[in-house]
Amino acid sequence: MKEFKVIEVKRSILEDNDADAALLREELKAQGTFLLNLMSSPGAGKTTMLKRLISMLKDEMRIGVMEADIDSDVDAQAIADMGVRAIQLHTGGMCHLDASMTRQGLREFNAGNLDLVVLENVGNLVCPAEFDTGACRNVMILSVPEGDDKPLKYPLMFSVCDVALINKIDVLPYFDFDMDKCQEYIHMRNPEAKIIPISAKNGEGFMEWAQWLREQVAAWADSR
């Protein structure tokens, strides 16, 4: 049998991306732009949540949203209709964004004129968690219909997030979802994670969520 060399490339790729992501964060800090990386599975309510959040914050800060999808511009149009700047990033079949791809979007955006840029990452709970986008903070959404055991099944996603939003709490009576267990599972993966139950439909929990984000954006601007 012919011998051949096996090269493990994943580590070097991730290391290069981590270095690029750290550099991007320094660039964002210098210009005073806060980049939020928003992740979830498809259908968890990212765009609906963003629309409600934008309606609360758009008169306080300059906001832009980068919508990442394999195809289509449906989400970007929905955000643009809210009166803020939006661009669509097509990933060409890739299931995540990395720091280089994020930088390309920011460059097209001229993000230096914005206080807050939200990157709505590609919808899945695996690949986006593996790649540092250069964001200042990572937030993920877990919706009640997905089940309270997702932190056990997708540990990396919950480990890398600063905030876990538990969305669709308005339908809790109709699903076998144990909120206490879910929070326990999240803190097993990430003891420092902030957990905020919300309903993007009726606005429950959004005062706490919006206030956390206000404080993060202000602190980032002050750290320059």
Side-chain angles (χ1 to χ4, degrees):
M1 182 179 294
K2 185 176 181 179
E3 293 185 0
F4 57 89
K5 182 183 293 186
V6 177
I7 301 173
E8 179 62 57
V9 297
K10 183 177 181 180
R11 183 176 177 184
S12 62
I13 289 172
L14 292 177
E15 286 177 349
D16 289 345
N17 182 72
D18 288 348
D20 193 22
L23 178 60
L24 178 55
R25 265 188 293 276
E26 290 302 314
E27 295 169 1
L28 290 166
K29 182 175 286 188
Q31 66 189 33
T33 301
F34 185 92
L35 176 62
L36 182 74
N37 181 28
L38 179 63
M39 299 175 283
S40 81
S41 60
K46 291 192 300 295
T47 305
T48 303
M49 183 282 292
L50 273 178
K51 290 171 66 176
R52 183 175 287 275
L53 183 68
I54 288 168
S55 69
M56 297 174 69
L57 298 179
K58 67 179 182 179
D59 294 331
E60 304 174 25
M61 58 183 75
R62 300 168 297 175
I63 301 174
V65 177
M66 297 192 294
E67 292 284 351
D69 279 303
I70 293 173
D71 205 346
S72 90
D73 60 359
V74 174
D75 291 340
Q77 186 59 59
I79 295 299
D81 289 344
M82 296 294 298
V84 300
R85 293 168 60 186
I87 59 173
Q88 188 77 48
L89 304 178
H90 284 168
T91 64
M94 298 182 69
C95 58
H96 68 275
L97 291 180
D98 59 21
S100 176
M101 297 159 72
T102 302
R103 180 182 279 106
Q104 292 179 52
L106 290 168
R107 187 180 301 120
E108 293 297 322
F109 227 163
N110 190 19
N113 295 324
L114 297 170
D115 304 306
L116 169 65
V117 175
V118 179
L119 171 60
E120 184 176 339
N121 216 314
V122 180
N124 78 78
L125 294 179
V126 181
C127 302
E130 295 180 343
F131 289 84
D132 190 342
T133 61
C136 311
R137 295 290 183 272
N138 293 315
V139 174
M140 72 86 56
I141 301 177
L142 169 66
S143 66
V144 166
E146 294 176 79
D148 53 35
D149 60 351
K150 284 298 182 289
L152 302 179
K153 296 181 177 180
Y154 300 94
L156 183 59
M157 173 59 72
F158 291 87
S159 297
V160 302
C161 284
D162 301 286
V163 174
L165 301 174
I166 303 179
N167 190 26
K168 304 187 182 180
I169 58 173
D170 51 288
V171 299
L172 272 171
Y174 309 105
F175 288 88
D176 184 17
F177 185 98
D178 189 318
M179 182 67 72
D180 291 335
K181 279 189 177 181
C182 185
Q183 296 193 39
E184 177 186 344
Y185 296 153
I186 292 171
H187 282 147
M188 283 172 56
R189 302 304 187 190
N190 184 353
E192 303 302 318
K194 185 175 182 62
I195 302 171
I196 308 177
I198 64 168
S199 169
K201 181 177 181 179
N202 64 29
E204 187 174 356
F206 269 74
M207 293 298 290
E208 181 182 0
W209 163 224
Q211 184 58 29
W212 179 88
L213 189 53
R214 287 187 187 99
E215 292 170 358
Q216 296 295 313
V217 172
W220 186 256
D222 290 343
S223 68
R224 285 186 291 174

